[in-house]
Amino acid sequence: MGLQQYFDNKRIKKMMKLADKIVIQHKQVGNIEDSAFVTHTQQFRERLENGENEEQVQVEAFALAREAAKRVLGLEAYPVQLVGGLILSEGNVAEMKTGEGKTLVSLFAIYFEALNGLKVHLVTANDYLAERDKSVIGPVLEFLGLTVGLNVSGLSSEEKKAIYKKDVIYSTASELGFDYLRDNMVKNKFEQVQSGLDYVLIDEADSILIDEARTPLIISGQKKEDLGLYKQAKMIVSLLKDDEYEYNIESNSVWLTEAGMEKAQNFWKIDDLYSLESQNYLRATNLMLRAYFTMTKDKDYVVSNGEVVLVDQNTGRIMDGRRFSEGLHQAIEAKESVEIKDETMTLATVTIQNYFRMYKKIAGMTGTAKTEEEELQKIYNLDVLVVPTHRPIARIDDNDEIYLDKEEKAKAIIREIKERNEKGQPILVGTSSIEDNEWLSGLFTKNGIKHEVLNAKNHEREAEIISNAGQKGAVTIATNMAGRGTDIKLGDDVKELGGLAVIGTEKHESRRVDNQLKGRSGRQGDPGYSKFILSLEDDLIKRFNGQKIKDLAVKLKFPKEEPIKDRMVAKAISSAQKRMEGSNFDIRKNLLEYDEVMDLQRKFIYNERTNLMGIVETDEFTEKMIEEFICEEVRKRYDDGEPEEIMNWIVNELIGAVEKNLINLDTVEDVEESVVKVALTRYRKNRETIGNDIINQIEKAIFMDLLDQFWVRHLDQLVQLKEGIHLRAYAQTNPLIEYQREAASMFQDILAELRHYYCMNVLHFDISNIAKG
């Protein structure tokens, strides 16, 4: 046992003792009237506010919540479910096996954190699960006297505001993130809806905090560009020969060889593809290369109703409203010969990682997270604690079967399915892509195996398909989503047949996702079975020395039709998964490191906007900015300029006509002091003439408009900087350090430019027009 495991066990034992106390306490609340639950909730709040012993209140509160669930739902939480609630309330990730009742466990943490005066956000993977979980736990929370809301897209700001006032909100991660971004794009404080990033509890935490972390949330506006370049780039890329490009299967990256560059230069009729003037051609060519060689239809995206729609690689679900950024989506649209829509310009963006790190306290639930504990600790400061199962797991996890090629693998899958299907055992077949999903469906149809197919193309029937997957004789082919969040309950007489059989047909890049698939079977001590049937031609194995392993297997004369029984081969597959996990962690970590630069800048800008929206009188804010601006401009010119030139600049550019005797040009400090004095005197006089209320509104509007314009422009510049920064590696410099340095310099430039334009607007504002009006 490792040291970490030892400490984890100690923590679980302590919580088990606390759970026993809760069970004893529960006996004392069994006779209270229904109407008294709300009174008890209020008393708990007051006791916590008064600093009473938190553990004692927690024991009593959990006991009351347990009784409430019993009365409202007819469910009495097991001691291990109380342990799960304690883990979540402590701010950890609770790993709970499928069917162990995560939804009920969430009740205890939600209730106790709300008692502590925190706004509680319960995050689910999609709107369906948010609505379902709210409909289950919401009535219990309301019975206890808490208010509960459901946050979905398409609501008005007034409806959103009302929801965010509730004690507990059920929502998806993206909807919460977009609300945050939209709140920082409005012009008035009363238009903001989100309140209290206090406590967030994330269901399927690994999926949201890890898998979705690679795709930032983006609010976009249209950016005009020559879309014809993509169609032209398609022509050249579709004509490339094998020696004119190189594709690295391991890193999934592609680039032109010298012969390819020469062909591209001839096509575009340019001398140097890498010259500054040719950047548009280089960009279009590279994007089209990526579209053709690194993005696969029915795996990375689907074409639906003439549109390219993203598919979440880890769940197989459609990602509504999301588009690949930085021109890649347009390149794929050209590749698939559908309408190419204008590229978008980022107006606001945040990563899932940085959004959730803004909460005061974060916790999560999932069936699989222990393999990703290092990442969860490093990025979110979260420990993963494994909750003991209520009943021992009875599922049999068989050894992998590995075949030489895909053809033999297909035969083995058909044999396995037919044998189990003939006796009526329900089977869930897991695939890693829509393409494989449909390939298997075709095979099953050809072999007379009646089945259901679940993938991103029919995801609207997900709950229905999954709810029937445990019935006698059912065969279900599913992408990795496998109805995640919905239990597969066994039909009549299925336990006697061995329970649900899970057959995996390809290893995922993460062992965690394979464990999720296995975990669909064997819920709450039910019998079950799992096995993976693979081939050396599978994508993951091909990416990591698949051909060498295959050559070795052929050399050792393994029979083609039999599974390869060699520990080295199994070890190679496990090693490939670990390498991919490490590679994907590096990608997410790299994304975060780059985004942290923007995150600091974003928080500064959003803070400035929020502060300004909260100011009633803008005179102090503006006077301070005028003083800083004038001093900065004077110092820039004083050492190099003649007194007459400085005076001309003051009169003609800076503040307008002024009596010469009011400006002292002796020293730089004298110039600063005298110019500031004249500028502020005029500014104050203008305020008196027009009236504070009007000037306050005008100044807020000017500053906010300029701030938003400069921030959007800066975001676009950061995207372009990031696109090209990796070329710096060729100059023996660290691209990240270069990006941090240049991004910081660019940010200081936009702040200086913002100050310049704002102050010049204020100093030269034509007050006479307003005065006449």
Side-chain angles (χ1 to χ4, degrees), residues 663-675:
I663 305 298
N664 184 344
L665 298 174
D666 292 346
T667 66
V668 68
E669 289 82 8
D670 291 333
V671 180
E672 287 173 358
E673 187 180 342
S674 57
V675 174

Side-chain angles (χ1 to χ4, degrees), residues 80-81 84 94-98 100-102 105 365-368 387:
V80 289
Q81 289 177 310
E95 180 176 291
M96 298 181 69
K97 300 303 174 207
T98 301
E100 290 293 303
K102 291 195 292 289
V105 166
M365 314 179 284
T366 180
T368 45
V387 181

Side-chain angles (χ1 to χ4, degrees), residues 480-699:
N480 287 324
M481 64 172 110
R484 194 168 175 173
T486 307
D487 279 351
I488 300 177
K489 290 176 183 169
L490 301 183
D492 296 334
D493 305 324
V494 168
K495 287 184 183 180
E496 290 72 24
L497 298 171
L500 178 70
V502 170
I503 307 299
T505 59
E506 192 162 343
K507 290 280 187 177
H508 190 266
E509 290 178 358
S510 165
R511 290 165 295 167
R512 172 172 50 84
V513 178
D514 293 341
N515 291 337
Q516 285 163 11
L517 182 62
K518 289 179 185 178
R520 307 313 305 165
S521 171
R523 63 182 287 280
Q524 290 197 359
D526 284 345
Y529 176 83
S530 80
K531 177 164 73 175
F532 278 82
I533 300 176
L534 315 168
S535 89
L536 295 179
E537 292 180 346
D538 291 349
D539 283 349
L540 179 75
I541 304 169
K542 270 200 303 192
R543 284 174 74 174
F544 290 94
N545 295 326
Q547 193 55 49
K548 282 184 183 175
I549 299 169
K550 193 172 179 182
D551 291 344
L552 176 67
V554 171
K555 193 175 178 182
L556 294 172
K557 296 182 179 176
F558 285 116
K560 189 180 178 185
E561 64 283 353
E562 289 182 20
I564 300 165
K565 292 182 172 66
D566 189 285
R567 285 174 63 192
M568 277 178 63
V569 175
K571 198 173 176 184
I573 293 169
S574 176
S575 169
Q577 276 188 303
K578 285 176 185 172
R579 284 171 69 184
M580 276 310 301
E581 285 171 356
S583 171
N584 287 333
F585 178 27
D586 288 342
I587 289 168
R588 291 188 292 268
K589 190 161 164 279
N590 186 257
L591 174 73
L592 183 64
E593 285 169 341
Y594 276 89
D595 190 66
E596 276 175 338
V597 177
M598 189 195 291
D599 191 51
L600 289 170
Q601 297 174 357
R602 174 175 45 239
K603 283 174 181 167
F604 179 87
I605 293 290
Y606 287 178
N607 196 44
E608 285 289 295
R609 290 182 100 261
T610 305
N611 287 343
L612 187 64
M613 285 190 284
I615 294 172
V616 178
E617 299 285 341
T618 56
D619 54 341
E620 190 179 325
F621 167 83
T622 302
E623 286 190 11
K624 186 183 175 193
M625 197 165 285
I626 288 171
E627 190 170 341
E628 287 174 358
F629 166 67
I630 287 173
C631 292
E632 189 179 327
E633 293 296 316
V634 167
R635 285 182 182 274
K636 265 197 268 182
R637 288 165 176 79
Y638 189 82
D639 290 338
D640 300 325
E642 296 294 325
E644 193 176 333
E645 288 175 4
I646 292 170
M647 193 65 201
N648 286 338
W649 166 72
I650 292 167
V651 171
N652 296 325
E653 288 185 47
L654 190 63
I655 58 174
V658 61
E659 291 178 30
K660 287 193 176 182
N661 64 323
L662 293 177
I663 305 298
N664 184 344
L665 298 174
D666 292 346
T667 66
V668 68
E669 289 82 8
D670 291 333
V671 180
E672 287 173 358
E673 187 180 342
S674 57
V675 174
V676 166
K677 188 176 179 182
V678 170
L680 293 183
T681 301
R682 284 188 187 173
Y683 171 72
R684 288 165 188 161
K685 190 176 178 183
N686 285 339
R687 285 189 80 93
E688 284 174 25
T689 306
I690 305 306
N692 282 339
D693 289 348
I694 295 173
I695 293 290
N696 290 336
Q697 288 173 35
I698 290 169
E699 288 180 352

